[in-house]
Amino acid sequence: MLPYKELANLDKIVHEPARLSILTALSACTLAEFLFLQELTGLTKGNLSSHLSKLEKANLIVIDKHFVRKKIPQTTIRITSEGKAAVDQHWKQLLSIHQSIRHHGANNENRSAPNPLSINQALT
Amino acid sequence: MLPYKELANLDKIVHEPARLSILTALSACTLAEFLFLQELTGLTKGNLSSHLSKLEKANLIVIDKHFVRKKIPQTTIRITSEGKAAVDQHWKQLLSIHQSIRHHGANNENRSAPNPLSINQALT
DNA sequence: AATAACTGGTTTGTGATATAAACTATTAAT
DNA sequence: ATTAATAGTTTATATCACAAACCAGTTATT
């Protein structure tokens, strides 16, 4: 696909900043606690909670709510293999798009611009 | 800033896929026509129009509406220096965050996980 | 000349989204 | 007994992205 179209069509479930942060953090550890994740990302609890729900619904993470010593509630989160694949692929895609545009751009930077229309031609 | 927090706080005006596409495309040319930009990004007219308005309001682009041979309406768009700086910086930021996480992650991948809490410690 | 169809966009409606404030349920401290 | 803290969830709101509908001018068609 053309890089600009690919850019415009990025998966928003993954691309959204809070969720990209969550998924990227989770992809670096086997398990994370809710509060740890909150500290890491700097999100508010409410915000984190709703993003986690969204990610769970998309099968990108698994949420486990349990009690420590049958007393203290604790929510732990794992990334699924699907989630890991999605976030890895997303970063790859971003880098690859950036590369492809950098090359493309370099070819056009020194091109003169006799009129607006010709510039458009140059970049297609 | 910590990379995960930085990730969660990315500037959404720039980060949003359609606008990242538009800004990135504009940063590679001196001037672009509305229809050209539409073809490049694959956005619908309405969608492109409203994203452009938003970018203009944020001073990231300048929109010029005029007529060709006093007849055909034509909208041309330029990125401002502020816009160019913003999109360049955004890409830099993405790459730098990715780098910093890649390094960080590599240090933890082979670490064993005796219990959930210790994992959290490992990654802070 | 009248009308239909096309161009080049803008405005409007709506369903989804991100966010923090308010809330809940349990435990710990005084 | 009351107050405060913990660990989150639910709710309310303001914003957003998106495409369908619209509009004004221009070019074909009859």
Side-chain angles (χ1 to χ4, degrees), chain A residues 23-94:
Chain A
L23 288 175
T24 303
L26 288 176
S27 87
C29 57
T30 59
L31 189 70
E33 290 167 30
F34 183 94
L35 291 176
F36 169 66
L37 212 46
Q38 195 203 341
E39 192 188 347
L40 218 54
T41 60
L43 298 167
T44 61
K45 291 173 187 180
N47 206 185
L48 176 56
S49 176
S50 67
H51 281 301
L52 290 178
S53 297
K54 198 156 294 185
L55 289 171
E56 189 179 36
K57 206 178 295 176
N59 292 317
L60 302 182
I61 64 171
V62 174
I63 302 176
D64 175 39
K65 293 163 195 189
H66 59 266
F67 290 83
V68 174
R69 297 191 314 276
K70 299 184 177 173
K71 291 198 167 185
I72 301 161
Q74 189 182 254
T75 299
T76 55
I77 301 109
R78 274 175 217 279
I79 197 165
T80 62
S81 57
E82 193 180 339
K84 174 88 168 108
V87 67
D88 286 353
Q89 208 259 327
H90 196 82
W91 278 112
K92 260 193 196 168
Q93 197 178 6
L94 284 178

Side-chain angles (χ1 to χ4, degrees), chain B residues 46-74:
Chain B
N47 207 183
L48 176 55
S49 177
S50 66
H51 280 301
L52 290 178
S53 296
K54 197 156 296 186
L55 290 171
E56 189 179 37
K57 206 177 297 178
N59 292 317
L60 302 182
I61 65 171
V62 174
I63 302 177
D64 175 38
K65 294 164 194 186
H66 56 99
F67 290 84
V68 175
R69 296 189 317 274
K70 300 182 177 175
K71 292 198 167 185
I72 302 163
Q74 190 182 253

Side-chain angles (χ1 to χ4, degrees), chain B residues 22-96:
Chain B
I22 293 169
L23 287 175
T24 303
L26 288 176
S27 88
C29 58
T30 60
L31 190 69
E33 289 166 31
F34 184 96
L35 292 176
F36 168 67
L37 213 46
Q38 195 203 341
E39 192 188 349
L40 220 53
T41 60
L43 298 166
T44 60
K45 290 174 188 181
N47 207 183
L48 176 55
S49 177
S50 66
H51 280 301
L52 290 178
S53 296
K54 197 156 296 186
L55 290 171
E56 189 179 37
K57 206 177 297 178
N59 292 317
L60 302 182
I61 65 171
V62 174
I63 302 177
D64 175 38
K65 294 164 194 186
H66 56 99
F67 290 84
V68 175
R69 296 189 317 274
K70 300 182 177 175
K71 292 198 167 185
I72 302 163
Q74 190 182 253
T75 299
T76 56
I77 300 110
R78 276 175 215 277
I79 197 166
T80 62
S81 57
E82 191 179 342
K84 175 87 166 110
V87 68
D88 285 354
Q89 208 258 330
H90 197 82
W91 278 111
K92 261 193 194 166
Q93 196 177 8
L94 284 177
L95 297 182
S96 125

